[in-house]
Amino acid sequence: MTRPIEKIVIVGGGTAGWMTAAPLIQRLGRACVIELVESTDIGTVGVGEATLPTVRYYNRSLGIDEADFIRKTKASFKLGIEFRDWGHVGNRFFHGFGDFGPSIEGRSPYMHWLRLKAADPNFPDYEEWSVATVLARQNKFTHPSGDRPSASNAYTYGYHLDASLYAAYLRDFACKRGVNHTEGKIIDIDLDAESGFIRAVRLTDGRQIAGDLFIDCSGFKGLLIEGAMKAGYTDWSEQLLCDSAITIPCARKDPLTPFTTSTAKPAGWTWRIPLQHRTGNGHVYSSHFMNHTDAEELLLEGLDGEALASSRRLRFTPGRRNKAWINNCVAIGLSSGFIEPLESTAIRLIESAVAGLLENFPDTSFRPQLAAEFNRQTALQYESIRDFVIMHYKLTGRRDSAFWRHCAEGPVSGALQHQLDTFKATGRVVVYDPNSFTEPSWVALYLGLGLTPESYDPFIDLLDEHELREHFLRIRQLIRQMTASTPLHGDYIMRHCLSDTVG
Ligand code: FAD
C-alpha cells in the first residue's frame, strides 16, 4: 500500500551528504526520520572551496545568516574567476559574476557593445562594463545595493570557503533539527530480490539501517547507485583530458583577492583560492601528458606563501552516472558524476539535485515519472556544464604543448558546436540550460578567449551610434565612481564578517 516516505537514509557525510540533509530535515522534519551514515575511516574528498553565486540562494532558503556563515567557514567573497594564459600565454581576462546592466531597447548591452567595437577597434574592452570585473581588478568588495537593476549593481558573488567547515556548519544545522548522525562503515546492501529496491544497508558491526528512500552521497565510488543499482557511467575523458589533481594550502598573502585565479599550464591549469586564514592551491592536469612529480613541482614553485601542509593527490574520471535516480536510490554529489573543477560547478550540481529531489519528492509507490524527470534535468545540467567547460579548452589559441594541441583537435558535442558557430556568425548566445551558465558567462568566455563575432543583431543599427557611445561612456563613468568609493575586500571582511580565529 502506498504511504508517505517515513525514513530517509543518507549515505555519506561530505559536502553532498550534509547539503542534502539540511534542507530535507528543514522541509520534512516532522514527517520523516532522517539518518545520515558516514565512515570517518574513509573520510571525505576534502576539496571544493570555490562556489558559484547560487549557493547564496541555497543558504538563504535554510535561513542562514550570511555574516555568521562567512565567519564560521572562514570564507571570502568571490566575484568571479581571473583566467591567465588561457587564450594565449600572456592573456588575462575575467569571468565576472553578474550581467552587464539593464537591456537597451530590449537587447543585451553586449550586443550594442559589439556594434561600437566593430565601428571603432579602440573602443574600450567589454570588461569595463562588468562591475564584478572592475571591482575584482582593484581587490574591492561590497554587497550590491539598490532594489532596481542598474548599471552599478549588475553584479553578484559567490564564496571561497573551507569545505570541511562548510560541511560541519551544515551538520550542526541538520543535527540540531533532528538528523540522526551515525558513524560506521557500510559493507553490504540488502536489495529486495523482486523489486530491486534497497531495503537496508549493513555496517561492519552488524547493524542494519533500513529505510524507504536512500540517498547516495558516498563520493566517486557511488556505493549504492553503482555498487547496488549498477547505473553505469558515461566517461567524458575523450573530451575532458584532465584526470588528476594535486592540492596544497599555503599561507595567506595580502591583498585578499575577491576572485579565484585559474592559470593555464602545459598539461592543465592551476587554481588559487583565497580564504580568510589561508590560500588553497591546486594543479589539475592530464596524467597522459604530465607525471605526478612534475605536476607537483609545478604547483609548488607557483605558491605565493609558505606551504602549510603536504600535498594531496586526487584522481577522477570526468563523466556522469547514466541515471542518478533508480528505484528508491538517488545519487547526489560526486556519486552522480564529476566535471573537472575549472568553473567550480560541483556544489552547484548538488544544490540543483537537492532542489530537484524536493520538487519530485516521491511516496512509497516511487512513480517512475518522478525519477525520469529528475534524471532528465540532471543530464541536461551536467551536459550543459560539460560543454561550457570544454569550450575553455576548445577556444584557446594555445598550441605550445602536446596537451593543448590535443585539446584543439578533440571532439565537441553537436550542441556546443552549434553554440560556437552561432556566436561566431551572429553574435547571439545559445543557452540550452538556464539553470547552468547564462548569457553573460558565455559572452565573458567567448570574448576573453578571443572569439569575435562576424556580425551582430541588425536591430542595434536602428539606434544612433553617437548617442549609444555616449551612453556607454556615461555608464563606465558611473561604474568607476561606484568602485572608487568601495572598500578593499580584506577591509570589508574585517569590518563585517572576520572569523574569530583569524588574526
Ligand atoms: P565525499 O567528500 O567523497 O564524501 C563521501 C562520504 O561518503 C564520506 O563521508 C565518506 O565517509 C562516506 N562513505 C563512503 N563510503 C562509505 C561507506 N562504505 N560507509 C560509510 N560511509 C561511506 N566543487 C566545487 O563546487 N568547487 C570547487 O572549487 C571544487 N574543487 C574541486 C577540486 C577537485 C580536485 C575535486 C576532485 C573536486 C572539487 N570539487 C569542487 C567537488 C567537491 O569537492 C565535491 O563536489 C564535494 O566535496 C562533495 O563531495 P561528496 O560529498 O559527494 O563526496
Side-chain angles (χ1 to χ4, degrees):
M1 200 185 67
T2 298
R3 57 171 173 74
I5 299 287
E6 286 165 3
K7 173 84 188 277
I8 300 174
V9 179
I10 299 172
V11 173
T15 310
W18 291 113
M19 279 187 78
T20 304
L24 284 184
I25 193 76
Q26 186 192 43
R27 295 283 289 275
L28 297 164
R30 288 205 196 103
C32 213
V33 173
I34 301 178
E35 181 160 1
L36 184 146
V37 193
E38 69 168 319
S39 159
T40 42
D41 286 348
I42 294 175
T44 66
V45 70
V47 281
E49 304 200 315
T51 77
L52 291 174
T54 47
V55 76
R56 287 166 44 213
Y57 308 122
Y58 169 89
N59 281 354
R60 200 179 296 162
S61 74
L62 296 176
I64 288 174
D65 173 71
E66 188 187 48
D68 181 61
F69 152 80
I70 290 179
R71 264 184 223 112
K72 295 201 173 125
T73 59
K74 302 188 181 185
S76 71
F77 295 99
K78 175 182 171 187
L79 288 165
I81 304 178
E82 183 191 32
F83 287 92
R84 294 185 178 196
D85 298 338
W86 270 89
H88 54 83
V89 174
N91 146 276
R92 269 176 85 171
F93 70 93
F94 265 91
H95 170 195
F97 292 155
D99 60 28
F100 293 82
S103 60
I104 305 166
E105 296 290 322
R107 293 292 191 268
S108 284
Y110 88 88
M111 197 54 102
H112 297 275
W113 176 88
L114 285 179
R115 174 194 178 186
L116 295 172
K117 189 73 176 170
D120 172 9
N122 293 322
F123 195 66
D125 273 349
Y126 190 50
E127 289 190 344
E128 299 215 16
W129 285 273
S130 157
V131 186
T133 301
V134 178
L135 284 170
R137 284 203 188 286
Q138 300 175 38
N139 292 318
K140 290 183 163 184
F141 183 80
T142 189
H143 282 87
S145 64
D147 298 332
R148 298 184 52 204
S150 79
S152 60
N153 68 10
Y155 68 100
T156 178
Y157 64 91
Y159 307 108
H160 304 117
L161 47 81
D162 184 316
S164 51
L165 293 179
Y166 187 42
Y169 191 88
L170 293 175
R171 184 188 63 215
D172 290 349
F173 178 100
C175 291
K176 263 188 208 142
R177 286 161 180 78
V179 167
N180 300 328
H181 183 192
T182 301
E183 194 333 274
K185 183 173 171 189
I186 296 166
I187 47 161
D188 202 11
I189 299 155
D190 177 13
L191 281 184
D192 184 288
E194 204 177 308
S195 66
F197 278 47
I198 301 175
R199 277 200 297 234
V201 292
R202 190 160 59 83
L203 308 184
T204 30
D205 61 9
R207 270 178 294 167
Q208 296 259 11
I209 303 174
D212 298 319
L213 170 64
F214 288 79
I215 304 184
D216 185 350
C217 299
S218 66
F220 285 128
K221 70 166 101 59
L223 190 66
L224 309 184
I225 196 73
E226 198 57 58
M229 294 296 159
K230 314 283 181 225
Y233 194 77
T234 303
D235 181 338
W236 291 330
S237 319
E238 285 278 300
Q239 299 143 284
L240 285 166
L241 303 184
C242 292
D243 60 3
S244 302
I246 303 178
T247 67
I248 191 165
C250 76
R252 172 195 153 153
K253 180 171 179 274
D254 283 328
L256 188 67
T257 55
F259 55 88
T260 301
T261 307
S262 163
T263 308
K265 296 291 176 189
W269 57 279
T270 56
W271 80 67
R272 180 184 182 280
I273 296 181
L275 306 182
Q276 290 191 27
H277 57 311
R278 61 170 166 79
T279 302
N281 303 278
H283 182 191
V284 179
Y285 63 98
S286 163
S287 61
H288 298 288
F289 292 89
M290 189 174 275
N291 65 44
H292 170 67
T293 313
D294 291 348
E296 184 177 42
E297 201 175 297
L298 187 150
L299 177 65
L300 295 179
E301 74 194 15
L303 298 186
D304 60 10
E306 183 198 342
L308 298 177
S310 40
S311 64
R312 279 187 61 210
R313 187 180 183 179
L314 294 148
R315 293 295 298 261
F316 54 85
T317 306
R320 72 169 176 85
R321 213 59 75 187
N322 292 339
K323 285 184 181 169
W325 182 341
I326 298 176
N327 298 343
N328 63 340
C329 172
V330 180
I332 295 183
L334 296 175
S335 60
S336 81
F338 184 57
I339 303 162
E340 62 132 287
L342 183 57
E343 285 279 354
S344 328
T345 45
I347 289 176
R348 168 73 189 125
L349 285 159
I350 297 171
E351 294 156 25
S352 293
V354 176
L357 175 59
L358 286 168
E359 260 166 42
N360 296 291
F361 202 75
D363 54 29
T364 54
S365 65
F366 283 93
R367 287 180 180 80
Q369 294 77 10
L370 296 171
E373 178 54 15
F374 180 89
N375 289 333
R376 185 191 70 79
Q377 287 173 9
T378 306
L380 176 66
Q381 194 173 30
Y382 263 93
E383 282 161 23
S384 301
I385 292 175
R386 174 202 63 192
D387 284 353
F388 187 71
V389 170
I390 290 174
M391 178 252 291
H392 298 58
Y393 292 96
K394 217 50 215 171
L395 287 184
T396 174
R398 285 190 69 151
R399 302 286 183 272
D400 53 302
S401 68
F403 172 80
W404 290 110
R405 288 190 290 277
H406 203 88
C407 289
E409 285 157 16
V412 298
S413 68
L416 178 57
Q417 196 59 56
H418 173 61
Q419 287 171 303
L420 298 177
D421 291 346
T422 305
F423 188 74
K424 181 149 183 48
T426 74
R428 262 79 159 195
V429 174
V430 177
V431 172
Y432 283 88
D433 176 22
N435 283 322
S436 304
F437 291 97
T438 52
E439 184 182 274
S441 292
W442 286 92
V443 171
L445 266 298
Y446 286 150
L447 296 177
L449 289 165
L451 185 66
T452 311
E454 288 155 7
S455 69
Y456 53 83
D457 185 339
F459 275 108
I460 303 290
D461 280 336
L462 300 177
L463 295 183
D464 178 80
E465 187 183 321
H466 176 73
E467 273 180 31
L468 192 62
R469 195 183 160 88
E470 291 304 304
H471 172 79
F472 265 77
L473 295 177
R474 259 197 320 277
I475 300 282
R476 185 173 69 152
Q477 192 53 27
L478 209 88
I479 293 173
R480 285 182 173 178
Q481 278 165 3
M482 177 257 169
T483 51
S485 59
T486 300
L488 286 169
H489 178 220
D491 292 347
Y492 192 79
I493 287 187
M494 183 112 73
R495 241 175 277 148
H496 301 287
C497 40
L498 186 71
S499 161
D500 299 339
T501 54
V502 175

